[in-house]
Amino acid sequence: MAAGLGEAASVISFISLSVQLVDGCVKGFVLLSKAQGLGSKASIIQCQLQWEEYLFKEWASTVGLFQQPPELNVPLSSAPVIRATLQNLLQLLTDTERIKANYGLSIEVTDEEIKEVQAPRNFLGRALDHYKPQIVNDTAKVFSRRNGIWKKFKWAAFDAQTLEVLVKDIKYFNTKLHGLLDTARRNACSWSSKDLMRNVISNSPENELQNFISGHLLSLDNAIEASAKLRQKGFLTNLTDPSNEVFAENTSTRTSRTSTLLVKSPRKRSITPSGSMSALRLDPRLLTLSSRGRLERMAREIGWYNDAPVVVEWKDVEMSLESKLKHRILDVAGLLSEMDEPSFHSLKCIGFVKPSKSGQYAYLFEPPLLAGHCAEPSMKSLSELLHMKNPRPSLTKRLHISSVLAETVLQLHTAGWLHKDISSENVIFFHSAEHDWGTSSDLASAFLGGYGFARRDSTLEMTEDPSAARYAALYRHADAQGSGRKQFNKNFDLFSLGCILLEVGLWHPLESILLHQSRSLPLDGKDVLHVERESDLLDALRCRKSIFEGPGQGTIARDLAFATGTKYVDMVRGLFLAAAPGRDQGDDEFEVDDLKTQIEVFEALRTLADASR
């Protein structure tokens, strides 16, 4: 009994000491982040310190030290390491003599008192205040129970590189603390940090982005780093108008579009351009189309550029809009040329061609089988596959397809872009030329294509009329159609993604799913119904409204639950309802829901896909 009481007293004593050390560390973070005299480096250093402060308080909150009464939810065996780590971190943040001795950084303690603590007014501070208000409130609690005056710091002498070393050492102790959490809590903290960083990158104005996209902050995740770099690249390319030479007509390449623009090139085979953004405009004479001889042009086809296979996606631009949209074509090509991170399941763009003065442009992409495969690849869209009797992919494969598409849209939105034309026609698969699509259920990875209407997610961007293809209306949200349509936003992309996930889950075309329900026919997977008349399209659109809400809901949802499970249904429902009335308005700086819905969908899909293997 005595031993038990002694152990309990020891735990209470340790918790009390830990609270004091945490309060001291929070004070140190506030003093360092508010320290004067950093000059031009102030914003970057401040953001780095803010991020480490957030991670530290996330740890303290997770283990229970900010609760009333405080707790310490860690194994007792970790207590000595926690105490030593907190003591080292406290000295690193507040001991000015030790900072000078170890780092050569001189800090003066001024007579000016800090009378209140508020979230820093830079963008990262405002984002923390918006997304993590409890973290900001915890600082205020620590300040309210302070025992003495907090006096401001001032940098008397510092070296930027040495200061970076200090921040990295702070990061080291933070990482050590997080490493002492159990797996579930550690993963929860990691996911929370990644979600926060995605939202920060997605919503950041360009003049703030550089402050926190350094490797110090983006060591969280390679995919997040890739999105951040794409977003920064978009800002940088937008600062300078494309040079005249990019879009100047070259008299030597003024070729009217024919089925064969050029068959061979005498130069060495190489399809990837190098140099500046101007290198993305390619020579149309080096392009050969596989569809030569056909009267009807295909929106997407296989071709050859400089003797290498390419995927060609055509975009028509009205002559009256070409002067405005041609620069966007360059931006889109630049974006897609940088999509070489595995989390972007889109083909890498090598550039674009403009074969004539007709307003027709073509984006050229490297097919996934290019490496070690010289033969022309075989390509099918998801729409084509859904209309075939085979393949019939397993649930594991269908979950994988849904996961990679959700991840790609998440990456695109994090980078500050909208797709605007997500449909089964723009989800594509590849195989070798000899592959028999009709007899094999073997599907390689899915790729999201069809970026012809993509643009930056900005109210200042000009909006093009949506695709006139009849099938496209089935994938567009009601508020994104008609003359009174609203400005496109992320949630409209999510609605289209929900339509794709519905098709993939049931492995049946969207038009047929909706027509079966509108005609009260069972969906057995055999009969594929088509939208043949305007009345069919209207019936399908009316039926679409009641899939997850309103009168008549339930039939499609039940079929989907039978095919994939209730968790998958919940994710599709969340995407369909993402653009519901009242959810598209945010404050002046942050959108309602931001990336929350699609982060949850992607992580759930990835978990389901991994579990089904």
Side-chain angles (χ1 to χ4, degrees):
M1 182 70 176
L5 291 174
E7 183 176 321
S10 177
V11 170
I12 293 173
S13 175
F14 178 66
I15 292 175
S16 177
L17 174 62
S18 298
V19 170
Q20 293 176 31
L21 292 172
V22 166
D23 284 5
C25 290
V26 170
K27 173 185 176 181
F29 275 116
V30 171
L31 295 179
L32 281 182
S33 63
K34 290 181 176 292
Q36 302 168 348
L38 283 176
S40 61
K41 292 287 184 179
S43 58
I44 295 177
I45 297 299
Q46 186 182 49
C47 281
Q48 292 176 340
L49 287 170
Q50 283 173 249
W51 185 253
E52 292 305 323
E53 181 183 2
Y54 154 69
L55 292 176
F56 174 75
K57 288 190 286 190
E58 183 89 338
W59 171 84
S61 178
T62 298
V63 299
L65 289 173
F66 285 132
Q67 294 182 17
Q68 290 298 328
E71 300 175 359
L72 191 58
N73 298 308
V74 295
L76 282 177
S77 58
S78 301
V81 180
I82 291 175
R83 181 176 60 249
T85 304
L86 289 174
Q87 289 172 339
N88 283 324
L89 188 57
L90 178 61
Q91 290 182 330
L92 204 57
L93 292 167
T94 61
D95 191 336
T96 58
E97 293 299 323
R98 184 167 179 173
I99 292 174
K100 183 175 182 179
N102 292 346
Y103 300 94
L105 302 170
S106 181
I107 300 177
E108 295 179 357
V109 180
T110 70
D111 293 329
E112 187 177 355
E113 179 184 354
I114 295 178
K115 296 184 178 180
E116 61 178 349
V117 290
Q118 297 176 336
R121 299 322 300 162
N122 60 9
F123 180 77
L124 183 55
R126 298 193 301 275
L128 287 168
D129 193 21
H130 177 83
Y131 295 111
K132 301 288 183 179
Q134 187 56 47
I135 297 295
V136 178
N137 292 339
D138 289 336
T139 303
K141 291 178 183 178
V142 171
F143 185 75
S144 67
R145 61 183 182 232
R146 67 194 184 281
N147 294 323
I149 296 174
W150 289 12
K151 293 187 176 181
K152 289 185 178 180
F153 282 176
K154 180 179 180 180
W155 293 99
F158 73 93
D159 172 75
Q161 290 184 339
T162 308
L163 193 53
E164 286 281 353
V165 174
L166 173 63
V167 175
K168 287 180 180 179
D169 287 348
I170 293 172
K171 177 182 176 65
Y172 166 79
F173 289 114
N174 255 340
T175 302
K176 194 169 184 177
L177 289 171
H178 279 262
L180 295 172
L181 297 173
D182 60 66
T183 302
R185 289 189 173 95
R186 186 167 60 250
N187 288 340
C189 285
S190 176
W191 291 335
S192 177
S193 300
K194 291 177 183 180
D195 294 353
L196 172 62
M197 184 53 75
R198 279 192 180 278
N199 280 310
V200 168
I201 293 169
S202 175
N203 287 290
S204 62
E206 59 184 281
N207 60 333
E208 296 276 5
L209 186 64
Q210 180 59 43
N211 292 350
F212 55 81
I213 72 161
S214 67
H216 180 81
L217 295 183
L218 295 176
S219 57
L220 283 169
D221 186 270
N222 289 336
I224 296 176
E225 182 175 6
S227 288
K229 288 180 178 178
L230 280 180
R231 184 152 171 77
Q232 185 191 29
K233 181 181 177 67
F235 287 137
L236 294 176
T237 56
N238 200 34
L239 293 176
T240 306
D241 288 332
S243 61
N244 291 332
E245 65 185 44
V246 178
F247 291 99
E249 287 290 343
N250 187 329
T251 55
S252 65
T253 62
R254 287 181 183 174
T255 310
S256 60
R257 182 158 181 236
T258 60
S259 59
T260 302
L261 300 173
L262 190 72
V263 177
K264 296 287 183 180
S265 167
R267 295 184 297 175
K268 182 180 179 181
R269 191 175 90 115
S270 174
I271 67 171
T272 305
S274 60
S276 66
M277 290 288 285
S278 61
L280 290 170
R281 177 158 187 177
L282 306 178
D283 188 345
R285 298 173 302 172
L286 302 182
L287 178 65
T288 304
L289 299 175
S290 298
S291 63
R292 58 182 177 272
R294 295 179 183 172
L295 295 177
E296 183 179 354
R297 181 175 60 109
M298 304 169 66
R300 180 185 300 110
E301 57 186 306
I302 299 293
W304 294 79
Y305 185 81
N306 204 15
D307 294 341
V310 291
V311 176
V312 183
E313 287 193 352
W314 291 97
K315 177 179 175 62
D316 292 327
V317 178
E318 294 182 19
M319 298 294 285
S320 60
L321 298 176
E322 189 170 8
S323 62
K324 298 178 180 179
L325 291 179
K326 64 184 182 181
H327 301 304
R328 181 179 292 171
I329 290 170
L330 177 64
D331 288 346
V332 172
L335 169 79
L336 297 174
S337 70
E338 298 292 329
M339 282 190 173
D340 52 1
E341 213 281 329
S343 56
F344 283 104
H345 303 272
S346 292
L347 302 179
K348 183 175 181 179
C349 182
I350 65 168
F352 66 94
V353 298
K354 186 177 185 297
S356 68
K357 297 177 109 179
S358 64
Q360 294 174 333
Y361 291 79
Y363 295 108
L364 305 186
F365 300 89
E366 290 182 0
L369 299 178
L370 180 63
H373 224 289
C374 296
E376 179 179 308
S378 178
M379 174 177 65
K380 293 285 185 185
S381 70
L382 175 62
S383 177
E384 291 175 296
L385 295 176
L386 293 175
H387 283 84
M388 297 169 60
K389 291 184 178 180
N390 279 309
R392 302 288 292 174
S394 66
L395 176 59
T396 298
K397 187 61 185 180
R398 283 179 283 139
L399 289 172
H400 176 71
I401 292 170
S402 297
S403 175
V404 300
L405 294 176
E407 183 175 32
T408 301
V409 175
L410 174 59
Q411 284 290 86
L412 187 68
H413 286 176
T414 302
W417 282 77
L418 302 171
H419 188 283
K420 296 189 64 183
D421 196 19
I422 298 173
S423 70
S424 60
E425 289 285 348
N426 290 326
V427 176
I428 46 182
F429 299 82
F430 294 86
H431 258 299
S432 58
E434 62 273 11
H435 180 75
D436 186 351
W437 294 93
T439 60
S440 173
S441 296
D442 177 26
L443 286 180
S445 276
F447 294 87
L448 182 62
Y451 285 86
F453 295 97
R455 65 168 174 83
R456 291 191 184 93
D457 186 8
S458 169
T459 57
L460 302 178
E461 286 281 324
M462 190 188 93
T463 295
E464 296 177 74
D465 289 338
S467 172
R470 176 177 287 180
Y471 71 84
L474 293 175
Y475 298 87
R476 282 199 301 272
H477 190 273
D479 290 340
Q481 303 192 49
S483 57
R485 64 182 180 271
K486 296 180 180 180
Q487 182 160 4
F488 205 91
N489 59 58
K490 293 186 184 76
N491 287 331
F492 291 164
D493 267 347
L494 296 190
F495 179 86
S496 302
L497 177 62
C499 293
I500 297 291
L501 265 59
L502 175 62
E503 289 182 296
V504 172
L506 292 172
W507 202 251
H508 201 81
L510 179 63
E511 60 179 332
S512 184
I513 294 171
L514 298 176
L515 289 176
H516 271 84
Q517 175 148 312
S518 70
R519 300 170 187 177
S520 300
L521 298 174
L523 186 65
D524 58 10
K526 296 178 181 179
D527 296 327
V528 175
L529 305 179
H530 300 278
V531 172
E532 298 175 348
R533 299 177 296 274
E534 190 68 23
S535 60
D536 292 338
L537 178 62
L538 294 176
D539 287 344
L541 290 174
R542 278 194 293 268
C543 176
R544 195 183 64 172
K545 294 180 181 179
S546 62
I547 293 179
F548 294 112
E549 60 179 347
Q553 64 169 312
T555 303
I556 294 178
R558 285 195 298 271
D559 288 339
L560 185 61
F562 178 77
T564 61
T566 56
K567 184 67 174 178
Y568 190 93
V569 175
D570 290 342
M571 288 182 284
V572 177
R573 179 185 288 109
L575 293 173
F576 264 77
L577 301 182
R583 298 187 66 184
D584 58 344
Q585 298 295 320
D587 56 28
D588 292 338
E589 194 166 29
F590 303 103
E591 300 174 50
V592 171
D593 289 336
D594 302 290
L595 302 176
K596 181 176 182 291
T597 297
Q598 53 190 314
I599 289 172
E600 291 175 350
V601 167
F602 166 60
E603 290 179 348
L605 281 170
R606 182 172 57 181
T607 300
L608 286 177
D610 290 343
S612 69
R613 290 177 182 171

